[in-house]
Amino acid sequence: MNKRRITAEITAVGGYVPEDRLTNKMLEEMVETSDEWITERTGIKERRILRDPALATSDMAVFAVKKLLEDSGLLPDEIDCLILATSTPDQLLAPAASLVCEKAGLNNAWGFDLNAACSGFLYALSMGASLIESERYKKVIVIGADQMSAIVNYTDRNTCILFGDGAGAVLLEPSTTGAGVIDYIFKTDGKGVACLSVPAGGSLEPASVDTLATGRNYVQQDGKTVFKAAIKGMSDACVEIMERNNLTEQDVNWLIPHQANLRIISAVCKRLNFPPEKVKVNIQRYGNTTAATIPLCLWDFQADFSPGDNILLTAFGAGFTWGGTYLKWGTLRHNN
Ligand code: COA
């Protein structure tokens, strides 16, 4: 007898952004820039910043998990596993996922961090899907969360205008309806590390008075190179995954790109021939929240998705890391 393929369906979503806003007007007071320049070059109007010094990435992830649990009607003890995609763990050692399990009361879950920068959520989603498809686990939470304000230099106008803080989470469960994660394509090119990184604070260049004085504990980037590579990486990944799954742009209901720069998103859409009304964008409100951008879009726009919708997710980030995921939307638990 033919057994139906088990897929990992998204059955609940959660999200969190801090209350505090950092607007373009406020940035005008901090560095030599203007609302007009930022809006025209990036599409960003404001970002959310986690200002409470007692809170960090794990806390935003916990808020997102709590919303997800509320949304699903599940108890924390029912979760089997948690994967946290982040580049800004609370501490270098130990994993922030351990803190999330502890603070959210996931007493029966094991968890780990995954760092693939802005592509982290997509990489983590594929790992979560594999755990479900293996039939060993029934409820896996995948989170993208980053507190970029902790690693951004607010005297550097090239980078401080771009990033914000936030967290998004999805619950994966086994399905035999055909909904869920269908396919993914990922790439890594280590030559990209030179163009976008936080050079110091790791094992190569531990934090010191000198690294702090020279700003090497903060994000550094060659914006132009990253800009071009992101457009090429995300559009190539989408083309490849659409071809492999016999999808035309008409078959795809929604494109959810990583939110790094509105001009990058527009260029990707143009290359793919995607009309803007099929593309989900919230960068104007949150900026680039790194691993959180895609799950925050899923959270923000969940009401627009219908069962059976074909959704293409694509991301590009430091590393370079990039790729695309083809997802068929299913039924959220709260709609059941
Ligand atoms: N306000 C005003 N002027 C600024 C500025 C700011 N915030 N930041 C840079 N400038 C200046 C530059 O110094 C430069 O001045 P110069 O010509 O006198 O040297 C000028 O504006 C143009 O800079 P440039 O770097 O050519 O601008 P750009 O059009 O490439 O836009 C980015 C800069 C950073 C917005 C753009 O390159 C970008 O978004 N890159 C990708 C970044 C990204 O998404 N990273 C994360 C990937 S996941």
mmCIF file of all heavy atoms in Angstrom, residues 216-266:
data_model
loop_
_atom_site.group_PDB
_atom_site.id
_atom_site.type_symbol
_atom_site.label_atom_id
_atom_site.label_comp_id
_atom_site.label_asym_id
_atom_site.label_seq_id
_atom_site.Cartn_x
_atom_site.Cartn_y
_atom_site.Cartn_z
ATOM 1 N N ARG A 216 34.915 47.369 16.018
ATOM 2 C CA ARG A 216 34.891 46.063 15.343
ATOM 3 C C ARG A 216 33.933 45.071 16.012
ATOM 4 O O ARG A 216 33.754 43.965 15.537
ATOM 5 C CB ARG A 216 36.316 45.493 15.255
ATOM 6 C CG ARG A 216 37.185 46.332 14.310
ATOM 7 C CD ARG A 216 38.626 45.896 14.288
ATOM 8 N NE ARG A 216 38.796 44.533 13.756
ATOM 9 C CZ ARG A 216 38.712 44.209 12.479
ATOM 10 N NH1 ARG A 216 38.432 45.139 11.566
ATOM 11 N NH2 ARG A 216 38.918 42.969 12.095
ATOM 12 N N ASN A 217 33.313 45.504 17.109
ATOM 13 C CA ASN A 217 32.272 44.671 17.737
ATOM 14 C C ASN A 217 30.897 44.923 17.119
ATOM 15 O O ASN A 217 29.911 44.360 17.579
ATOM 16 C CB ASN A 217 32.187 44.962 19.234
ATOM 17 C CG ASN A 217 33.361 44.379 19.971
ATOM 18 O OD1 ASN A 217 34.459 44.920 19.920
ATOM 19 N ND2 ASN A 217 33.142 43.260 20.624
ATOM 20 N N TYR A 218 30.879 45.784 16.112
ATOM 21 C CA TYR A 218 29.614 46.139 15.472
ATOM 22 C C TYR A 218 29.558 45.647 14.019
ATOM 23 O O TYR A 218 30.601 45.338 13.426
ATOM 24 C CB TYR A 218 29.437 47.665 15.472
ATOM 25 C CG TYR A 218 29.298 48.264 16.850
ATOM 26 C CD1 TYR A 218 30.216 49.208 17.299
ATOM 27 C CD2 TYR A 218 28.252 47.898 17.695
ATOM 28 C CE1 TYR A 218 30.088 49.778 18.561
ATOM 29 C CE2 TYR A 218 28.124 48.459 18.951
ATOM 30 C CZ TYR A 218 29.032 49.399 19.390
ATOM 31 O OH TYR A 218 28.907 49.955 20.629
ATOM 32 N N VAL A 219 28.343 45.651 13.470
ATOM 33 C CA VAL A 219 28.147 45.234 12.075
ATOM 34 C C VAL A 219 28.941 46.147 11.136
ATOM 35 O O VAL A 219 28.883 47.378 11.254
ATOM 36 C CB VAL A 219 26.649 45.327 11.680
ATOM 37 C CG1 VAL A 219 26.474 45.060 10.194
ATOM 38 C CG2 VAL A 219 25.799 44.369 12.507
ATOM 39 N N GLN A 220 29.669 45.511 10.216
ATOM 40 C CA GLN A 220 30.383 46.256 9.179
ATOM 41 C C GLN A 220 29.942 45.672 7.844
ATOM 42 O O GLN A 220 29.827 44.444 7.718
ATOM 43 C CB GLN A 220 31.896 46.024 9.276
ATOM 44 C CG GLN A 220 32.432 45.910 10.670
ATOM 45 C CD GLN A 220 33.290 47.092 11.056
ATOM 46 O OE1 GLN A 220 34.058 47.572 10.256
ATOM 47 N NE2 GLN A 220 33.143 47.551 12.278
ATOM 48 N N GLN A 221 29.734 46.527 6.880
ATOM 49 C CA GLN A 221 29.355 45.949 5.584
ATOM 50 C C GLN A 221 29.736 46.816 4.405
ATOM 51 O O GLN A 221 29.824 48.031 4.509
ATOM 52 C CB GLN A 221 27.874 45.620 5.538
ATOM 53 C CG GLN A 221 26.968 46.798 5.336
ATOM 54 C CD GLN A 221 25.544 46.390 4.974
ATOM 55 O OE1 GLN A 221 25.315 45.322 4.430
ATOM 56 N NE2 GLN A 221 24.605 47.243 5.279
ATOM 57 N N ASP A 222 29.939 46.121 3.283
ATOM 58 C CA ASP A 222 30.116 46.776 1.991
ATOM 59 C C ASP A 222 28.733 46.720 1.329
ATOM 60 O O ASP A 222 28.370 45.740 0.676
ATOM 61 C CB ASP A 222 31.186 45.990 1.205
ATOM 62 C CG ASP A 222 31.201 46.359 -0.266
ATOM 63 O OD1 ASP A 222 30.408 47.222 -0.684
ATOM 64 O OD2 ASP A 222 32.010 45.768 -1.000
ATOM 65 N N GLY A 223 27.948 47.788 1.591
ATOM 66 C CA GLY A 223 26.528 47.792 1.216
ATOM 67 C C GLY A 223 26.262 47.512 -0.247
ATOM 68 O O GLY A 223 25.345 46.774 -0.586
ATOM 69 N N LYS A 224 27.096 48.085 -1.128
ATOM 70 C CA LYS A 224 26.839 47.934 -2.568
ATOM 71 C C LYS A 224 26.989 46.491 -3.020
ATOM 72 O O LYS A 224 26.187 45.982 -3.813
ATOM 73 C CB LYS A 224 27.806 48.820 -3.360
ATOM 74 C CG LYS A 224 27.303 50.233 -3.523
ATOM 75 C CD LYS A 224 28.028 50.930 -4.660
ATOM 76 C CE LYS A 224 27.659 52.395 -4.751
ATOM 77 N NZ LYS A 224 26.265 52.741 -4.573
ATOM 78 N N THR A 225 28.054 45.826 -2.535
ATOM 79 C CA THR A 225 28.296 44.422 -2.930
ATOM 80 C C THR A 225 27.171 43.531 -2.392
ATOM 81 O O THR A 225 26.654 42.657 -3.103
ATOM 82 C CB THR A 225 29.667 43.942 -2.387
ATOM 83 O OG1 THR A 225 30.644 44.862 -2.826
ATOM 84 C CG2 THR A 225 30.012 42.551 -2.871
ATOM 85 N N VAL A 226 26.786 43.786 -1.137
ATOM 86 C CA VAL A 226 25.710 42.987 -0.535
ATOM 87 C C VAL A 226 24.411 43.202 -1.318
ATOM 88 O O VAL A 226 23.670 42.254 -1.604
ATOM 89 C CB VAL A 226 25.511 43.365 0.959
ATOM 90 C CG1 VAL A 226 24.328 42.632 1.557
ATOM 91 C CG2 VAL A 226 26.777 43.072 1.754
ATOM 92 N N PHE A 227 24.158 44.433 -1.678
ATOM 93 C CA PHE A 227 22.943 44.797 -2.409
ATOM 94 C C PHE A 227 22.834 43.972 -3.701
ATOM 95 O O PHE A 227 21.808 43.325 -3.959
ATOM 96 C CB PHE A 227 23.018 46.301 -2.729
ATOM 97 C CG PHE A 227 21.772 46.891 -3.317
ATOM 98 C CD1 PHE A 227 20.810 47.458 -2.503
ATOM 99 C CD2 PHE A 227 21.571 46.904 -4.685
ATOM 100 C CE1 PHE A 227 19.660 48.032 -3.043
ATOM 101 C CE2 PHE A 227 20.427 47.463 -5.236
ATOM 102 C CZ PHE A 227 19.471 48.025 -4.412
ATOM 103 N N LYS A 228 23.900 43.966 -4.490
ATOM 104 C CA LYS A 228 23.871 43.244 -5.783
ATOM 105 C C LYS A 228 23.765 41.740 -5.569
ATOM 106 O O LYS A 228 23.007 41.043 -6.244
ATOM 107 C CB LYS A 228 25.152 43.548 -6.575
ATOM 108 C CG LYS A 228 25.143 44.920 -7.186
ATOM 109 C CD LYS A 228 26.340 45.079 -8.124
ATOM 110 C CE LYS A 228 26.722 46.538 -8.230
ATOM 111 N NZ LYS A 228 28.140 46.801 -8.281
ATOM 112 N N ALA A 229 24.549 41.224 -4.614
ATOM 113 C CA ALA A 229 24.550 39.766 -4.372
ATOM 114 C C ALA A 229 23.177 39.302 -3.865
ATOM 115 O O ALA A 229 22.727 38.194 -4.197
ATOM 116 C CB ALA A 229 25.639 39.413 -3.360
ATOM 117 N N ALA A 230 22.510 40.160 -3.072
ATOM 118 C CA ALA A 230 21.197 39.773 -2.528
ATOM 119 C C ALA A 230 20.165 39.663 -3.649
ATOM 120 O O ALA A 230 19.362 38.718 -3.681
ATOM 121 C CB ALA A 230 20.745 40.802 -1.490
ATOM 122 N N ILE A 231 20.190 40.602 -4.571
ATOM 123 C CA ILE A 231 19.221 40.550 -5.680
ATOM 124 C C ILE A 231 19.446 39.284 -6.500
ATOM 125 O O ILE A 231 18.511 38.532 -6.797
ATOM 126 C CB ILE A 231 19.352 41.809 -6.578
ATOM 127 C CG1 ILE A 231 18.943 43.043 -5.792
ATOM 128 C CG2 ILE A 231 18.511 41.658 -7.852
ATOM 129 C CD1 ILE A 231 19.244 44.365 -6.481
ATOM 130 N N LYS A 232 20.711 39.039 -6.847
ATOM 131 C CA LYS A 232 21.009 37.858 -7.672
ATOM 132 C C LYS A 232 20.692 36.566 -6.916
ATOM 133 O O LYS A 232 20.036 35.672 -7.439
ATOM 134 C CB LYS A 232 22.491 37.886 -8.093
ATOM 135 C CG LYS A 232 22.881 36.702 -8.949
ATOM 136 C CD LYS A 232 24.198 36.892 -9.654
ATOM 137 C CE LYS A 232 24.733 35.603 -10.250
ATOM 138 N NZ LYS A 232 23.754 34.692 -10.819
ATOM 139 N N GLY A 233 21.130 36.488 -5.651
ATOM 140 C CA GLY A 233 20.945 35.260 -4.873
ATOM 141 C C GLY A 233 19.471 34.914 -4.708
ATOM 142 O O GLY A 233 19.048 33.773 -4.956
ATOM 143 N N MET A 234 18.668 35.907 -4.312
ATOM 144 C CA MET A 234 17.249 35.608 -4.050
ATOM 145 C C MET A 234 16.502 35.311 -5.352
ATOM 146 O O MET A 234 15.688 34.389 -5.394
ATOM 147 C CB MET A 234 16.598 36.759 -3.268
ATOM 148 C CG MET A 234 17.121 36.842 -1.846
ATOM 149 S SD MET A 234 16.034 37.724 -0.712
ATOM 150 C CE MET A 234 16.385 39.397 -1.133
ATOM 151 N N SER A 235 16.783 36.067 -6.408
ATOM 152 C CA SER A 235 16.021 35.767 -7.636
ATOM 153 C C SER A 235 16.450 34.437 -8.240
ATOM 154 O O SER A 235 15.599 33.660 -8.696
ATOM 155 C CB SER A 235 16.037 36.918 -8.651
ATOM 156 O OG SER A 235 17.172 37.677 -8.578
ATOM 157 N N ASP A 236 17.759 34.138 -8.234
ATOM 158 C CA ASP A 236 18.203 32.836 -8.782
ATOM 159 C C ASP A 236 17.587 31.671 -7.996
ATOM 160 O O ASP A 236 17.156 30.676 -8.570
ATOM 161 C CB ASP A 236 19.734 32.708 -8.735
ATOM 162 C CG ASP A 236 20.417 33.574 -9.799
ATOM 163 O OD1 ASP A 236 19.694 34.206 -10.596
ATOM 164 O OD2 ASP A 236 21.658 33.623 -9.803
ATOM 165 N N ALA A 237 17.552 31.804 -6.673
ATOM 166 C CA ALA A 237 16.995 30.715 -5.839
ATOM 167 C C ALA A 237 15.515 30.499 -6.162
ATOM 168 O O ALA A 237 15.038 29.356 -6.237
ATOM 169 C CB ALA A 237 17.176 31.047 -4.361
ATOM 170 N N CYS A 238 14.791 31.605 -6.359
ATOM 171 C CA CYS A 238 13.344 31.483 -6.674
ATOM 172 C C CYS A 238 13.149 30.815 -8.027
ATOM 173 O O CYS A 238 12.299 29.924 -8.168
ATOM 174 C CB CYS A 238 12.678 32.859 -6.660
ATOM 175 S SG CYS A 238 12.495 33.522 -5.002
ATOM 176 N N VAL A 239 13.939 31.239 -9.010
ATOM 177 C CA VAL A 239 13.808 30.645 -10.354
ATOM 178 C C VAL A 239 14.073 29.141 -10.266
ATOM 179 O O VAL A 239 13.307 28.322 -10.793
ATOM 180 C CB VAL A 239 14.789 31.327 -11.348
ATOM 181 C CG1 VAL A 239 14.891 30.532 -12.642
ATOM 182 C CG2 VAL A 239 14.356 32.752 -11.617
ATOM 183 N N GLU A 240 15.146 28.771 -9.571
ATOM 184 C CA GLU A 240 15.532 27.348 -9.484
ATOM 185 C C GLU A 240 14.441 26.514 -8.803
ATOM 186 O O GLU A 240 14.081 25.437 -9.277
ATOM 187 C CB GLU A 240 16.854 27.260 -8.706
ATOM 188 C CG GLU A 240 17.604 25.950 -8.931
ATOM 189 C CD GLU A 240 18.942 25.920 -8.191
ATOM 190 O OE1 GLU A 240 19.557 26.996 -7.960
ATOM 191 O OE2 GLU A 240 19.371 24.808 -7.825
ATOM 192 N N ILE A 241 13.897 27.043 -7.722
ATOM 193 C CA ILE A 241 12.898 26.251 -6.980
ATOM 194 C C ILE A 241 11.576 26.196 -7.743
ATOM 195 O O ILE A 241 10.871 25.175 -7.715
ATOM 196 C CB ILE A 241 12.733 26.768 -5.535
ATOM 197 C CG1 ILE A 241 12.209 25.636 -4.657
ATOM 198 C CG2 ILE A 241 11.826 27.962 -5.425
ATOM 199 C CD1 ILE A 241 12.482 25.807 -3.206
ATOM 200 N N MET A 242 11.256 27.247 -8.466
ATOM 201 C CA MET A 242 10.025 27.228 -9.273
ATOM 202 C C MET A 242 10.173 26.221 -10.417
ATOM 203 O O MET A 242 9.254 25.431 -10.677
ATOM 204 C CB MET A 242 9.715 28.633 -9.819
ATOM 205 C CG MET A 242 9.109 29.546 -8.764
ATOM 206 S SD MET A 242 9.161 31.278 -9.203
ATOM 207 C CE MET A 242 8.017 31.330 -10.561
ATOM 208 N N GLU A 243 11.329 26.235 -11.062
ATOM 209 C CA GLU A 243 11.552 25.280 -12.172
ATOM 210 C C GLU A 243 11.463 23.846 -11.663
ATOM 211 O O GLU A 243 10.824 22.994 -12.269
ATOM 212 C CB GLU A 243 12.920 25.531 -12.815
ATOM 213 C CG GLU A 243 12.862 26.649 -13.838
ATOM 214 C CD GLU A 243 14.225 27.018 -14.415
ATOM 215 O OE1 GLU A 243 15.226 26.288 -14.164
ATOM 216 O OE2 GLU A 243 14.290 28.060 -15.077
ATOM 217 N N ARG A 244 12.124 23.590 -10.540
ATOM 218 C CA ARG A 244 12.176 22.229 -10.000
ATOM 219 C C ARG A 244 10.792 21.716 -9.603
ATOM 220 O O ARG A 244 10.560 20.509 -9.562
ATOM 221 C CB ARG A 244 13.109 22.227 -8.794
ATOM 222 C CG ARG A 244 13.494 20.854 -8.339
ATOM 223 C CD ARG A 244 14.809 20.872 -7.647
ATOM 224 N NE ARG A 244 14.646 21.049 -6.208
ATOM 225 C CZ ARG A 244 15.664 21.031 -5.356
ATOM 226 N NH1 ARG A 244 16.888 20.892 -5.802
ATOM 227 N NH2 ARG A 244 15.464 21.177 -4.072
ATOM 228 N N ASN A 245 9.873 22.659 -9.296
ATOM 229 C CA ASN A 245 8.530 22.242 -8.868
ATOM 230 C C ASN A 245 7.457 22.574 -9.912
ATOM 231 O O ASN A 245 6.264 22.564 -9.593
ATOM 232 C CB ASN A 245 8.196 22.894 -7.519
ATOM 233 C CG ASN A 245 9.045 22.319 -6.398
ATOM 234 O OD1 ASN A 245 8.738 21.254 -5.864
ATOM 235 N ND2 ASN A 245 10.139 22.986 -6.074
ATOM 236 N N ASN A 246 7.930 22.821 -11.141
ATOM 237 C CA ASN A 246 7.018 23.135 -12.254
ATOM 238 C C ASN A 246 6.028 24.246 -11.926
ATOM 239 O O ASN A 246 4.840 24.132 -12.213
ATOM 240 C CB ASN A 246 6.235 21.869 -12.667
ATOM 241 C CG ASN A 246 7.168 20.796 -13.148
ATOM 242 O OD1 ASN A 246 8.077 21.073 -13.922
ATOM 243 N ND2 ASN A 246 6.969 19.572 -12.657
ATOM 244 N N LEU A 247 6.525 25.290 -11.291
ATOM 245 C CA LEU A 247 5.660 26.426 -10.945
ATOM 246 C C LEU A 247 5.981 27.607 -11.850
ATOM 247 O O LEU A 247 7.161 27.909 -12.087
ATOM 248 C CB LEU A 247 5.909 26.880 -9.498
ATOM 249 C CG LEU A 247 5.596 25.916 -8.358
ATOM 250 C CD1 LEU A 247 6.147 26.469 -7.047
ATOM 251 C CD2 LEU A 247 4.090 25.696 -8.245
ATOM 252 N N THR A 248 4.950 28.270 -12.360
ATOM 253 C CA THR A 248 5.164 29.556 -13.033
ATOM 254 C C THR A 248 4.809 30.640 -12.016
ATOM 255 O O THR A 248 4.260 30.337 -10.949
ATOM 256 C CB THR A 248 4.228 29.722 -14.247
ATOM 257 O OG1 THR A 248 2.890 29.795 -13.762
ATOM 258 C CG2 THR A 248 4.368 28.562 -15.226
ATOM 259 N N GLU A 249 5.071 31.897 -12.369
ATOM 260 C CA GLU A 249 4.736 32.962 -11.413
ATOM 261 C C GLU A 249 3.224 33.022 -11.185
ATOM 262 O O GLU A 249 2.768 33.443 -10.119
ATOM 263 C CB GLU A 249 5.352 34.322 -11.789
ATOM 264 C CG GLU A 249 4.985 34.925 -13.102
ATOM 265 C CD GLU A 249 5.710 34.313 -14.300
ATOM 266 O OE1 GLU A 249 6.543 33.391 -14.130
ATOM 267 O OE2 GLU A 249 5.416 34.743 -15.415
ATOM 268 N N GLN A 250 2.435 32.563 -12.169
ATOM 269 C CA GLN A 250 0.967 32.545 -11.972
ATOM 270 C C GLN A 250 0.560 31.540 -10.885
ATOM 271 O O GLN A 250 -0.447 31.713 -10.210
ATOM 272 C CB GLN A 250 0.232 32.157 -13.261
ATOM 273 C CG GLN A 250 -0.038 33.327 -14.218
ATOM 274 C CD GLN A 250 1.128 33.516 -15.172
ATOM 275 O OE1 GLN A 250 1.817 32.549 -15.484
ATOM 276 N NE2 GLN A 250 1.362 34.739 -15.592
ATOM 277 N N ASP A 251 1.350 30.442 -10.771
ATOM 278 C CA ASP A 251 0.999 29.406 -9.779
ATOM 279 C C ASP A 251 1.318 29.838 -8.347
ATOM 280 O O ASP A 251 0.834 29.229 -7.395
ATOM 281 C CB ASP A 251 1.785 28.116 -10.048
ATOM 282 C CG ASP A 251 1.500 27.557 -11.427
ATOM 283 O OD1 ASP A 251 0.333 27.610 -11.835
ATOM 284 O OD2 ASP A 251 2.447 27.086 -12.082
ATOM 285 N N VAL A 252 2.196 30.827 -8.212
ATOM 286 C CA VAL A 252 2.618 31.239 -6.863
ATOM 287 C C VAL A 252 1.667 32.329 -6.368
ATOM 288 O O VAL A 252 1.482 33.350 -7.019
ATOM 289 C CB VAL A 252 4.079 31.756 -6.882
ATOM 290 C CG1 VAL A 252 4.496 32.242 -5.509
ATOM 291 C CG2 VAL A 252 5.022 30.656 -7.370
ATOM 292 N N ASN A 253 1.041 32.087 -5.220
ATOM 293 C CA ASN A 253 0.090 33.074 -4.672
ATOM 294 C C ASN A 253 0.800 34.223 -3.966
ATOM 295 O O ASN A 253 0.365 35.365 -4.048
ATOM 296 C CB ASN A 253 -0.872 32.405 -3.687
ATOM 297 C CG ASN A 253 -1.671 31.307 -4.346
ATOM 298 O OD1 ASN A 253 -1.235 30.149 -4.394
ATOM 299 N ND2 ASN A 253 -2.817 31.646 -4.908
ATOM 300 N N TRP A 254 1.875 33.872 -3.244
ATOM 301 C CA TRP A 254 2.562 34.899 -2.450
ATOM 302 C C TRP A 254 4.072 34.707 -2.489
ATOM 303 O O TRP A 254 4.541 33.567 -2.375
ATOM 304 C CB TRP A 254 2.117 34.859 -0.979
ATOM 305 C CG TRP A 254 0.640 34.936 -0.789
ATOM 306 C CD1 TRP A 254 -0.192 33.908 -0.438
ATOM 307 C CD2 TRP A 254 -0.201 36.092 -0.956
ATOM 308 N NE1 TRP A 254 -1.483 34.347 -0.372
ATOM 309 C CE2 TRP A 254 -1.527 35.687 -0.683
ATOM 310 C CE3 TRP A 254 0.051 37.423 -1.304
ATOM 311 C CZ2 TRP A 254 -2.604 36.575 -0.749
ATOM 312 C CZ3 TRP A 254 -1.023 38.297 -1.362
ATOM 313 C CH2 TRP A 254 -2.323 37.868 -1.088
ATOM 314 N N LEU A 255 4.774 35.820 -2.599
ATOM 315 C CA LEU A 255 6.231 35.802 -2.438
ATOM 316 C C LEU A 255 6.544 36.548 -1.142
ATOM 317 O O LEU A 255 6.097 37.689 -0.955
ATOM 318 C CB LEU A 255 6.898 36.501 -3.626
ATOM 319 C CG LEU A 255 8.414 36.681 -3.512
ATOM 320 C CD1 LEU A 255 9.139 35.333 -3.595
ATOM 321 C CD2 LEU A 255 8.943 37.612 -4.606
ATOM 322 N N ILE A 256 7.280 35.894 -0.257
ATOM 323 C CA ILE A 256 7.697 36.555 0.998
ATOM 324 C C ILE A 256 9.221 36.610 1.011
ATOM 325 O O ILE A 256 9.889 35.632 1.352
ATOM 326 C CB ILE A 256 7.155 35.810 2.230
ATOM 327 C CG1 ILE A 256 5.626 35.697 2.139
ATOM 328 C CG2 ILE A 256 7.562 36.537 3.508
ATOM 329 C CD1 ILE A 256 4.977 35.009 3.305
ATOM 330 N N PRO A 257 9.772 37.761 0.612
ATOM 331 C CA PRO A 257 11.227 37.888 0.604
ATOM 332 C C PRO A 257 11.755 38.406 1.933
ATOM 333 O O PRO A 257 11.036 39.115 2.650
ATOM 334 C CB PRO A 257 11.466 38.927 -0.507
ATOM 335 C CG PRO A 257 10.228 39.755 -0.541
ATOM 336 C CD PRO A 257 9.090 38.951 0.056
ATOM 337 N N HIS A 258 12.996 38.080 2.236
ATOM 338 C CA HIS A 258 13.678 38.699 3.378
ATOM 339 C C HIS A 258 13.603 40.215 3.212
ATOM 340 O O HIS A 258 13.779 40.735 2.112
ATOM 341 C CB HIS A 258 15.131 38.219 3.398
ATOM 342 C CG HIS A 258 15.988 38.979 4.358
ATOM 343 N ND1 HIS A 258 15.634 39.154 5.677
ATOM 344 C CD2 HIS A 258 17.165 39.636 4.189
ATOM 345 C CE1 HIS A 258 16.567 39.875 6.279
ATOM 346 N NE2 HIS A 258 17.502 40.182 5.404
ATOM 347 N N GLN A 259 13.326 40.910 4.307
ATOM 348 C CA GLN A 259 13.116 42.360 4.244
ATOM 349 C C GLN A 259 14.419 43.075 4.623
ATOM 350 O O GLN A 259 14.658 43.356 5.803
ATOM 351 C CB GLN A 259 11.984 42.760 5.202
ATOM 352 C CG GLN A 259 10.758 41.868 5.157
ATOM 353 C CD GLN A 259 9.769 42.229 4.062
ATOM 354 O OE1 GLN A 259 9.373 43.373 3.961
ATOM 355 N NE2 GLN A 259 9.381 41.262 3.238
ATOM 356 N N ALA A 260 15.274 43.322 3.609
ATOM 357 C CA ALA A 260 16.552 44.002 3.871
ATOM 358 C C ALA A 260 16.530 45.419 3.330
ATOM 359 O O ALA A 260 17.110 46.318 3.921
ATOM 360 C CB ALA A 260 17.703 43.238 3.242
ATOM 361 N N ASN A 261 15.870 45.590 2.185
ATOM 362 C CA ASN A 261 15.836 46.884 1.509
ATOM 363 C C ASN A 261 14.720 46.794 0.464
ATOM 364 O O ASN A 261 14.673 45.826 -0.302
ATOM 365 C CB ASN A 261 17.208 47.132 0.853
ATOM 366 C CG ASN A 261 17.277 48.484 0.161
ATOM 367 O OD1 ASN A 261 16.326 48.917 -0.502
ATOM 368 N ND2 ASN A 261 18.403 49.156 0.311
ATOM 369 N N LEU A 262 13.831 47.767 0.447
ATOM 370 C CA LEU A 262 12.701 47.729 -0.494
ATOM 371 C C LEU A 262 13.176 47.700 -1.941
ATOM 372 O O LEU A 262 12.550 47.071 -2.807
ATOM 373 C CB LEU A 262 11.792 48.945 -0.264
ATOM 374 C CG LEU A 262 10.462 48.934 -1.007
ATOM 375 C CD1 LEU A 262 9.624 47.709 -0.645
ATOM 376 C CD2 LEU A 262 9.676 50.200 -0.707
ATOM 377 N N ARG A 263 14.329 48.352 -2.200
ATOM 378 C CA ARG A 263 14.849 48.343 -3.579
ATOM 379 C C ARG A 263 15.335 46.952 -3.971
ATOM 380 O O ARG A 263 15.231 46.552 -5.121
ATOM 381 C CB ARG A 263 15.991 49.361 -3.732
ATOM 382 C CG ARG A 263 15.478 50.806 -3.785
ATOM 383 C CD ARG A 263 16.580 51.749 -4.212
ATOM 384 N NE ARG A 263 17.650 51.782 -3.241
ATOM 385 C CZ ARG A 263 18.951 51.837 -3.538
ATOM 386 N NH1 ARG A 263 19.357 51.869 -4.776
ATOM 387 N NH2 ARG A 263 19.858 51.858 -2.582
ATOM 388 N N ILE A 264 15.860 46.188 -3.002
ATOM 389 C CA ILE A 264 16.271 44.799 -3.287
ATOM 390 C C ILE A 264 15.017 43.985 -3.610
ATOM 391 O O ILE A 264 14.961 43.243 -4.599
ATOM 392 C CB ILE A 264 17.030 44.173 -2.080
ATOM 393 C CG1 ILE A 264 18.361 44.886 -1.854
ATOM 394 C CG2 ILE A 264 17.233 42.666 -2.290
ATOM 395 C CD1 ILE A 264 19.164 44.385 -0.641
ATOM 396 N N ILE A 265 13.968 44.157 -2.793
ATOM 397 C CA ILE A 265 12.722 43.404 -2.997
ATOM 398 C C ILE A 265 12.127 43.748 -4.370
ATOM 399 O O ILE A 265 11.737 42.851 -5.132
ATOM 400 C CB ILE A 265 11.711 43.724 -1.861
ATOM 401 C CG1 ILE A 265 12.250 43.216 -0.518
ATOM 402 C CG2 ILE A 265 10.339 43.116 -2.161
ATOM 403 C CD1 ILE A 265 11.425 43.604 0.704
ATOM 404 N N SER A 266 12.096 45.027 -4.717
ATOM 405 C CA SER A 266 11.520 45.436 -6.007
ATOM 406 C C SER A 266 12.316 44.856 -7.168
ATOM 407 O O SER A 266 11.729 44.403 -8.163
ATOM 408 C CB SER A 266 11.514 46.962 -6.141
ATOM 409 O OG SER A 266 10.840 47.516 -5.066
#
